[in-house]
Amino acid sequence: MDNICFTSKIKPVAMSDFAKTVKNINPQNSADFPWTIKDSVMAENVFTKNIADCTACLISNGKEAVLMHLNPRTENNHAFSLVLDFLRSKLDLKSQDLHALLIGSKNTKKSLDIYEKFENLMKQLCIKYSELKNGKMPVSVAYNASNDEVFITSLTIDRNLKKGKNPKETLDGSFQKVFINDLDEI
């Protein structure tokens, strides 16, 4: 794949729809508790749940994705040389086909440290990324490579959708910061 231009679709979904989506994903493809570097996964379809003060980073190459969900209370998660080593073992970091989504964080020193280190790493590696920062409630995310879709839910997203808000309004009302890069769409 050289210089492909695919667009990830970021879809806020109801909690019940998210549950149906992840039901079809192998549980081994979940970045699960205790949310450390070693609990990160790479597959065509991946998911994680309960992103609160943690930061999740989903990096896709269009065929599969790496999903990291890092807990700020685990000291090794702040060692970004380990994060970089992990990513190098999974992805061609020089590929122009990579793009990412950062999700999570809270306005605390330890939480922001991981989020900001991911931001700096994406910039250093020249990986375009979208952001859904500081959710009002714990967030869950899933990725499907076959149609390059990111499904995202939380109690706030669920409520906003039930109120009839459109996807953009739903995300704007669910996160402190929403930034969608030109490789993604809502």
PDB file of all heavy atoms in Angstrom, residues 59 66 132 144:
ATOM      1  N   ILE A  59      -4.249   2.979  16.409  1.00  0.00           N
ATOM      2  CA  ILE A  59      -3.476   3.311  15.215  1.00  0.00           C
ATOM      3  C   ILE A  59      -3.788   2.271  14.154  1.00  0.00           C
ATOM      4  O   ILE A  59      -3.572   1.077  14.349  1.00  0.00           O
ATOM      5  CB  ILE A  59      -1.962   3.336  15.484  1.00  0.00           C
ATOM      6  CG1 ILE A  59      -1.628   4.307  16.612  1.00  0.00           C
ATOM      7  CG2 ILE A  59      -1.204   3.723  14.209  1.00  0.00           C
ATOM      8  CD1 ILE A  59      -0.171   4.302  17.030  1.00  0.00           C
ATOM      9  N   VAL A  66      -3.650  -1.295  15.940  1.00  0.00           N
ATOM     10  CA  VAL A  66      -3.101  -1.476  17.277  1.00  0.00           C
ATOM     11  C   VAL A  66      -3.980  -0.645  18.210  1.00  0.00           C
ATOM     12  O   VAL A  66      -4.301   0.509  17.902  1.00  0.00           O
ATOM     13  CB  VAL A  66      -1.643  -0.980  17.363  1.00  0.00           C
ATOM     14  CG1 VAL A  66      -1.181  -0.885  18.812  1.00  0.00           C
ATOM     15  CG2 VAL A  66      -0.723  -1.891  16.575  1.00  0.00           C
ATOM     16  N   LEU A 132     -10.564  12.706  20.751  1.00  0.00           N
ATOM     17  CA  LEU A 132     -11.779  12.775  21.563  1.00  0.00           C
ATOM     18  C   LEU A 132     -11.275  12.811  22.996  1.00  0.00           C
ATOM     19  O   LEU A 132     -11.002  11.778  23.604  1.00  0.00           O
ATOM     20  CB  LEU A 132     -12.672  11.559  21.308  1.00  0.00           C
ATOM     21  CG  LEU A 132     -13.157  11.385  19.872  1.00  0.00           C
ATOM     22  CD1 LEU A 132     -13.895  10.058  19.707  1.00  0.00           C
ATOM     23  CD2 LEU A 132     -14.029  12.549  19.445  1.00  0.00           C
ATOM     24  N   ASN A 144     -13.313  -1.734  13.357  1.00  0.00           N
ATOM     25  CA  ASN A 144     -13.553  -2.783  12.369  1.00  0.00           C
ATOM     26  C   ASN A 144     -12.781  -2.407  11.107  1.00  0.00           C
ATOM     27  O   ASN A 144     -13.120  -1.415  10.444  1.00  0.00           O
ATOM     28  CB  ASN A 144     -15.056  -2.883  12.090  1.00  0.00           C
ATOM     29  CG  ASN A 144     -15.402  -3.938  11.066  1.00  0.00           C
ATOM     30  OD1 ASN A 144     -14.651  -4.192  10.135  1.00  0.00           O
ATOM     31  ND2 ASN A 144     -16.553  -4.542  11.240  1.00  0.00           N
TER      32      ASN A 144
END
